[in-house]
Amino acid sequence: MLKRISALVLAGLTAMSMAACGSGGSGGGGDSITMGFSQVGAESGWRTANTKSVQDSAKNAGISLKFSDAQQKQENQIKAIRSYIQQKVDIIAFSPVVESGWDTVLKEAKDAKIPVILTDRAVDSKDTTLYKTFLGSDFIEEGKKAGQWLVEEYKSSTDPVNIVELQGTTGSAPANDRKAGFAEVIGADTKFKIIASQTGDFTRAKGKEVMEAFLKSNPDIDVLYAHNDDMGLGAIEAIEGAGKVPGKDIKIITVDAVKDGMQALADGKISYIVECSPLLGPQLMDLAKKVLKNEQVPARVVTEETTFTQDQAKQALSTRQY
């Protein structure tokens, strides 16, 4: 009889414990935290490093992570977020595929009292109460840094500078902002001309394919500006395939600073890289704990990043984590 009572008490305690863990937005008070995380996809070396950072940091922070890969489709992310709401996770974090179209699902999370953190990419919602904070890079600043290097590189030249641009995923925050920041800086000098601009979807394969088309339709290209390293690396294959020398015949500027990109920079194939760090995991877990304890967090948390020339890439390569 005593054993039976003990078993019943234990079952009751287990049920209470499970209820406490699953109650939307109530974690962080000492109970274990469950985070639902929806990732864009695995389109690049940067994204793979970002995923690993989130997964490792959750484990180190004692946070239970429910992870989903949206394969670069917004409908998959919305489905994942709704699934997290149904599962009554404590907090949701996601890196939005595109900027628009999130209000409805974010309102559902808010109504369920589950806080949301945006990572890496922003949304364009006018209602900023739908998420607690946005952790990530300043993509406009990244575009400006790329433009500033170009202006400095050609400051003594009076000839026209023909630029082709490999944009990131259409409608995504980094594609929109890296384009805008770059255009703002080079727009002050009429010798800089963007003669072709097209999406390469942040992938190496598409970067190569689009660059091949650029080279066929524009024989006189001076500079390539690629919104990430992977597209730039694909473009290098296309440039070499066309019998040109990357870094000499066509100068290449990219964003990210993943190991493969840094190697190409050290080798002189890429001319300049603007860093965008994927290692957001530790900051994300720290913010999640603060949000769940109802602590004040900044509406915008910007990651610290730098830029790399060829010599700087050579020095940094041996310690590069991604």
Side-chain angles (χ1 to χ4, degrees):
M1 184 69 178
L2 189 60
K3 280 185 182 175
R4 190 168 165 230
I5 290 168
S6 298
L8 286 167
V9 169
L10 184 62
L13 287 170
T14 304
M16 284 168 66
S17 159
M18 285 172 73
C21 288
S23 55
S26 67
D31 293 334
S32 64
I33 297 168
T34 299
M35 173 188 285
F37 184 84
S38 176
Q39 182 59 284
V40 173
E43 74 283 359
S44 62
W46 191 100
R47 189 63 57 190
T48 304
N50 179 240
T51 292
K52 189 174 188 306
S53 176
V54 170
Q55 290 172 332
D56 290 351
S57 300
K59 194 175 179 182
N60 292 338
I63 291 175
S64 174
L65 190 72
K66 292 182 182 292
F67 181 88
S68 68
D69 179 338
Q71 298 177 317
Q72 290 191 290
K73 291 179 181 163
Q74 184 177 30
E75 59 267 30
N76 291 348
Q77 280 199 307
I78 291 170
K79 200 183 293 179
I81 293 167
R82 287 197 168 125
S83 167
Y84 295 147
I85 294 167
Q86 286 169 355
Q87 292 173 65
K88 297 183 178 176
V89 299
D90 297 304
I91 192 161
I92 292 169
F94 77 113
S95 181
V97 176
V98 293
E99 287 190 288
S100 302
W102 300 102
D103 285 34
T104 302
V105 74
L106 291 181
K107 176 112 184 18
E108 289 167 22
K110 187 182 177 183
D111 290 345
K113 295 184 168 52
I114 301 174
V116 173
I117 295 176
L118 304 177
T119 73
D120 172 44
R121 299 180 178 186
V123 298
D124 63 5
S125 173
K126 291 192 172 90
D127 184 357
T128 55
T129 68
L130 295 177
Y131 55 92
K132 294 293 183 182
T133 183
F134 164 40
L135 163 67
S137 305
D138 185 335
F139 299 131
I140 289 178
E141 185 59 30
E142 289 170 356
K144 285 182 178 178
K145 285 176 183 175
Q148 284 156 2
W149 179 85
L150 188 63
V151 168
E152 182 63 24
E153 183 71 7
Y154 285 91
K155 66 180 178 184
S156 57
S157 173
T158 53
D159 296 331
V161 179
N162 291 332
I163 305 159
V164 293
E165 180 180 33
L166 281 168
Q167 296 179 45
T169 304
T170 303
S172 69
N176 293 344
D177 293 353
R178 285 172 188 164
K179 182 177 180 62
F182 183 75
E184 184 185 326
V185 171
I186 67 165
D189 191 333
T190 55
K191 76 180 171 209
F192 294 111
K193 298 184 184 346
I194 296 177
I195 56 172
S197 183
Q198 193 176 318
T199 181
D201 272 338
F202 284 126
T203 69
R204 204 173 293 203
K206 197 74 190 289
K208 181 183 179 183
E209 181 190 316
V210 176
M211 191 66 195
E212 283 171 345
F214 283 166
L215 286 159
K216 279 175 189 165
S217 54
N218 304 284
D220 188 18
I221 297 169
D222 301 304
V223 176
L224 162 66
Y225 169 44
H227 288 188
N228 79 339
D229 290 344
D230 276 73
M231 290 189 295
L233 291 164
I236 285 170
E237 293 179 43
I239 292 165
E240 290 175 335
K244 293 179 181 286
V245 181
K248 287 185 181 166
D249 295 329
I250 298 174
K251 294 191 186 298
I252 300 172
I253 309 164
T254 65
V255 182
D256 272 357
V258 298
K259 207 159 194 173
D260 285 355
M262 293 283 275
Q263 186 62 62
L265 177 56
D267 294 341
K269 294 183 178 184
I270 289 177
S271 309
Y272 190 68
I273 295 182
V274 179
E275 184 181 40
C276 179
S277 175
L279 308 180
L280 306 181
Q283 282 177 286
L284 174 59
M285 300 311 148
D286 183 51
L287 285 169
K289 288 182 176 182
K290 284 179 177 173
V291 165
L292 290 170
K293 285 177 184 167
N294 291 317
E295 292 180 23
Q296 282 291 105
V297 297
R300 178 77 172 92
V301 180
V302 180
T303 47
E304 286 186 19
E305 288 146 350
T306 186
T307 57
F308 292 96
T309 59
Q310 183 177 17
D311 287 342
Q312 289 166 333
K314 285 176 181 174
Q315 289 169 13
L317 255 176
S318 62
T319 56
R320 208 73 185 150
Q321 292 179 50
Y322 52 93

